[in-house]
Amino acid sequence: MRVWEFASAAGGIENHLKLVADRPLPTAAAKTQHLVQVLAVGLNPVDYKLAEARIAKLPTTPGLDFAGKIVVPAENSTLVPGTLVYGASSFFNPRTGGGALAEYIAVPTETVAVIPAGLSPVLAGGAPVAAVTAYQAIVPHVKKPGSRVFINGGSGGTGTYGIQIAKALGAHVTVSCSAANADLCRSIGADDVLDYTSRPVLDQLRDAVAKSGLLYDHVVDFVFSGPELFYQAHTYTAPGAHFVEVAGAPSLAFGRFAFGAMVLPGFLGGGKRKFTMLTASVVTEPLDQIAKWIVEGKIKPVTDQVFPFEQAVEAFRRLKTGRAKGKVIVTVAANAE
């Protein structure tokens, strides 16, 4: 089979990715894995950040998100050959690259869900990590319709899912993004949009609260523009609000912030709101719900650009610009749709 690999991340993995044509098909563990033909792969920042931070083990094949067709199901599985599935190619492990950017993969049974009729495998392939991350950052904390949610970073792959998931729960949603992406965020449900390029988001949040008299009930940070958004959260959120950080970078500075936010009490310089550092777990239950919402029209996946398998390098270059509106997807099979 063909597979994309890189043995170095110096200067960016896109400078080292090579398409290898003679790799053997993987062998799936009979009781715990399906053998899947990959149809499409959604790219995520984690696919390159860990390698470039010298955390991932090299050489490796990148890619966690996938949609595909079961070739050999796991023993005792109710799924049959030909079933369309989507999910994560492996349980998240910062030492591995995921492995999805290949023509065939062996995937854990717990990390996949069936693609229902009415959902394109290409769109499904871009959903797992972004949509499940947004789901797990929002759903456990939004308890009732009318809750006020602030999402820092609304126009990227995870943010676009976050807006729509919060709206599916009946929340009032405020997001930050650039002015160029404001219409996109409003079109998928954002009630209020803050242009982070015009002035500090923290100032805009405080002004919004002063004007409306309404505090925010939940905050999700998908971009980490600085620690002040958390440490000053008590100035724009209700006392019971939860702050979920998703965008952590593998750096010493971010590590110090996250440690202090999780450990230090307010009177010792910590924050005054509950803090969670989220690493999503892509498993069947949220994948089933997300697929259901997409088919029902409550979520419309936002795709920035779709690249053929041979152009995976260009797909990573697009992802790394930071300007992608929604997901960057690579079609692996010619008949991906």
Side-chain angles (χ1 to χ4, degrees):
M1 68 172 182
R2 295 185 302 164
V3 56
W4 282 96
E5 297 177 349
F6 63 99
S8 171
I13 71 167
E14 69 278 10
N15 297 314
H16 303 279
L17 274 168
K18 296 185 182 301
L19 183 57
V20 183
D22 60 353
R23 291 291 181 262
L25 270 65
T27 301
K31 295 183 179 180
T32 60
Q33 293 181 315
H34 305 298
L35 178 65
V36 173
Q37 179 193 3
V38 181
L39 300 178
V41 172
L43 302 186
N44 296 286
V46 72
D47 294 334
Y48 65 84
K49 282 187 176 181
L50 295 176
E52 293 177 3
R54 300 184 180 180
I55 294 174
K57 184 179 179 180
L58 302 178
T60 193
T61 294
L64 282 168
D65 283 354
F66 83 93
K69 183 185 298 182
I70 287 188
V71 178
V72 180
E75 289 181 6
N76 302 317
S77 172
T78 59
L79 304 183
V80 299
T83 302
L84 293 175
V85 294
Y86 83 121
S89 58
S90 64
F91 289 109
F92 177 75
N93 182 336
R95 295 285 292 158
T96 64
L101 210 56
E103 292 182 316
Y104 293 87
I105 53 175
V107 300
T109 57
E110 301 96 326
T111 67
V112 302
V114 173
I115 299 176
L119 174 54
S120 156
V122 173
L123 292 182
V129 168
V132 171
T133 297
Y135 183 100
Q136 293 175 344
I138 294 169
V139 172
H141 309 288
V142 177
K143 304 298 185 182
K144 59 183 180 180
S147 294
R148 296 178 64 80
V149 174
F150 170 61
I151 296 173
N152 191 34
S155 60
T158 312
T160 53
Y161 278 109
I163 292 169
Q164 296 178 85
I165 288 170
K167 292 304 294 183
L169 299 174
H172 179 283
V173 180
T174 298
V175 302
S176 69
C177 65
S178 67
N181 293 330
D183 287 344
L184 167 64
C185 290
R186 290 191 182 96
S187 73
I188 56 176
D191 298 288
D192 297 310
V193 177
L194 310 180
D195 175 11
Y196 72 86
T197 66
S198 63
R199 60 194 184 97
V201 169
L202 179 58
D203 291 347
Q204 295 185 64
L205 288 168
R206 288 166 166 165
D207 288 349
V209 168
K211 183 178 180 180
S212 68
L214 299 171
L215 295 163
Y216 292 94
D217 301 299
H218 185 55
V219 179
V220 183
D221 187 1
F222 288 136
V223 295
F224 187 65
S225 50
E228 295 80 10
L229 199 63
F230 168 67
Y231 285 121
Q232 294 298 314
H234 60 283
T235 65
Y236 63 89
T237 63
H242 202 120
F243 190 106
V244 177
E245 181 63 59
V246 178
S251 68
L252 183 60
F254 181 82
R256 286 187 182 131
F257 158 70
F259 179 80
M262 288 187 288
V263 174
L264 291 178
F267 67 89
L268 289 180
K272 297 180 180 178
R273 294 293 182 263
K274 188 173 181 180
F275 177 90
T276 295
M277 184 72 219
L278 177 68
T279 298
S281 177
V282 181
V283 290
T284 301
E285 183 180 1
L287 288 169
D288 281 337
Q289 180 61 67
I290 289 159
K292 182 174 182 289
W293 276 336
I294 294 174
V295 172
E296 291 174 348
K298 293 180 179 178
I299 292 178
K300 296 179 181 180
V302 179
T303 301
D304 178 81
Q305 198 166 345
V306 178
F307 293 83
F309 190 55
E310 295 76 14
Q311 294 180 17
V313 172
E314 288 75 8
F316 270 104
R317 293 189 193 283
R318 175 59 184 169
L319 178 68
K320 293 182 73 174
T321 66
R323 296 192 294 271
K325 298 179 181 179
K327 293 296 298 184
V328 175
I329 298 172
V330 176
T331 54
V332 179
N335 61 339
E337 288 289 353

